[in-house]
Amino acid sequence: MESMVQRVVRQAKEIMQINAITIATNASQIDIITQQLGDTISIVTEPERRDTFPAVALATSYLKFSKGCNNDEVIVIMPCDPYTDAGYFRAIAKMIECVEQNVADLVLMGIKPTYPSEKYGYIIPQEEVIEESKEFLKVSRFTEKPSTKVVKELLKQNALWNGGVFAFRLGYMMDIIHKHIQSNCFEDIRNRYQEFPKISFDYEVAEKAQDIAVVPFSGQWKDIIGNAIMGPHCENTHIINELQCPIYVEGIKDVVVAASPNGILVCSKEYSEEIKKTAENLTSYV
C-alpha cells in the first residue's frame, strides 16, 4: 500500500531518475507528508490557500532563493493525484527536452481525451492534422470546462485535456513573480504571500503566455481526485470524485470521501478497514 504522493515520487525517481523533488502543499499536510516521504524531500508550505498560481510562485521562489537554482534550470510542475503509467513520466521528460531546446517558453502536457468530459480544461493545438510521430504541438488557445456540445466540436480540432503539468525555465517564472512581489528573499515572499492574486496557474500564466507548446500523452491516466474542493479548515482529508458534479467539503478531519457511479462513501480513516466488508452488502438502485 502507498499513498498518491508516495506513488508519484517513487515513479519519478524510478522512471526519470530524478531526486530533486519539492512538494508544495498546505501547512496542515506537512506532518503526514513527512511521515510518508521522510526528510529527503523538500516541502514548501503555503501560509494560506490561494489557488495554484501563488502555490507555484512560492515553490519557484524557494527553488531560486533557498535552493540556489539558476534561472536556466528547467522546472516541472505536476499534481500528485493522477494515476498514471510509465509513459506519463516519459512524456514529462520530453517536455523538459522541449524547454531545453527552446521550443517554447511554456510547455504543457495534453492528455488525449477518451470521452467528451465537461470537468476538464482543454488545450487546442494550432495544427489541424496531427501526425502520430509528432512529439510536440504549438498551442492555439485554451477552453476551460466547456459544455458537452462544445467539447464535441473541440475534439474535432484535436483538443487535449489539460493535465495540469507545466514545464518552464526558472527565470521565466521569476519574471512573472516579480510583477507581483519584488524581493530576493524566500522568507520575505512567503510573509507577503497574500500579495499574490488568488488565481489559478492556468489563468495567470498559461492563458497569458505568448509562446506555448504541448506534448501529447495517450497512455493510462486517471484523475483520481476529480472535481473536488476542500475548504481551509479540513485536515488529513482525501477526496476521490469520478462524477461530473463537484464535491465541496469543509471542517472535517481524518476522513475519506469517494464518489463514483456505483455509490458515495464518507468514512473516517480510523474505520476504513471496515469498508470492504460493508460494501459487499450494499445494493445499487438504478
Side-chain angles (χ1 to χ4, degrees):
M1 296 290 291
E2 60 182 353
S3 69
M4 293 184 294
V5 69
Q6 285 174 320
R7 184 189 68 251
V8 168
V9 169
R10 174 181 57 78
Q11 288 177 307
K13 288 182 174 181
E14 291 178 353
I15 300 168
M16 299 180 65
Q17 304 298 308
I18 287 180
N19 289 309
I21 298 173
T22 296
I23 304 292
T25 187
N26 187 266
S28 64
Q29 300 291 320
I30 189 169
D31 288 340
I32 190 170
I33 290 176
T34 301
Q35 290 171 9
Q36 293 179 7
L37 299 177
D39 57 4
T40 60
I41 301 294
S42 299
I43 301 176
V44 177
T45 59
E46 303 173 274
E48 59 181 87
R49 292 176 185 264
R50 292 195 68 79
D51 218 320
T52 53
F53 167 68
V56 172
L58 189 67
T60 305
S61 300
Y62 172 80
L63 295 174
K64 172 67 176 177
F65 301 121
S66 294
K67 286 291 189 178
C69 296
N70 64 59
N71 284 340
D72 286 333
E73 192 83 23
V74 179
I75 307 300
V76 175
I77 303 296
M78 61 176 291
C80 71
D81 52 311
Y83 182 83
T84 65
D85 59 21
Y88 177 83
F89 292 89
R90 287 193 284 269
I92 291 176
K94 178 54 63 177
M95 292 170 63
I96 294 172
E97 288 181 19
C98 286
V99 176
E100 290 175 338
Q101 295 169 7
N102 298 315
V103 166
D105 293 331
L106 180 66
V107 180
L108 291 71
M109 180 187 291
I111 314 297
K112 188 174 182 180
T114 53
Y115 66 99
S117 172
E118 296 181 355
K119 69 177 183 177
Y120 301 122
Y122 285 78
I123 304 167
I124 297 86
Q126 293 178 2
E127 289 84 343
E128 293 183 3
V129 179
I130 300 177
E131 299 177 7
E132 289 293 328
S133 60
K134 195 101 178 197
E135 294 185 332
F136 69 88
L137 308 164
K138 282 302 185 83
V139 173
S140 172
R141 58 188 175 88
F142 300 90
T143 299
E144 185 66 20
K145 298 180 181 178
S147 65
T148 300
K149 181 179 179 181
V150 173
V151 169
K152 289 179 179 179
E153 293 301 315
L154 292 176
L155 295 183
K156 295 177 183 178
Q157 302 172 45
N158 302 309
L160 301 162
W161 284 338
N162 186 346
V165 186
F166 309 92
F168 48 81
R169 292 190 189 275
L170 188 147
Y172 172 79
M173 188 63 188
M174 290 306 305
D175 288 342
I176 297 173
I177 291 169
H178 284 150
K179 292 177 182 178
H180 301 282
I181 299 177
Q182 286 284 341
S183 178
N184 293 322
C185 173
F186 170 69
E187 288 302 327
D188 181 46
I189 292 175
R190 190 176 188 277
N191 291 335
R192 297 167 60 187
Y193 192 62
Q194 71 280 359
E195 295 180 28
F196 286 122
K198 196 172 185 179
I199 191 171
S200 72
F201 185 90
D202 293 273
Y203 285 138
E204 181 63 17
V205 178
E207 295 200 5
K208 295 179 180 179
Q210 300 298 310
D211 189 13
I212 318 170
V214 58
V215 172
F217 170 66
S218 58
Q220 185 181 31
W221 182 85
K222 188 174 183 61
D223 182 7
I224 295 178
I225 291 182
N227 190 359
I229 299 173
M230 279 192 285
H233 303 101
C234 290
E235 184 177 343
N236 192 26
T237 294
H238 292 84
I239 306 173
I240 299 173
N241 185 12
E242 297 183 4
L243 304 179
Q244 294 288 342
C245 58
I247 290 179
Y248 176 76
V249 298
E250 172 62 302
I252 56 178
K253 178 180 179 182
D254 301 327
V255 170
V256 174
V257 179
S260 78
N262 296 320
I264 296 174
L265 164 75
V266 180
C267 179
S268 166
K269 291 185 178 181
E270 181 181 357
Y271 301 105
S272 60
E273 293 183 0
E274 304 293 324
I275 292 174
K276 183 176 180 181
K277 181 174 62 177
T278 304
E280 292 173 350
N281 299 318
L282 296 178
T283 302
S284 297
Y285 295 93
V286 178

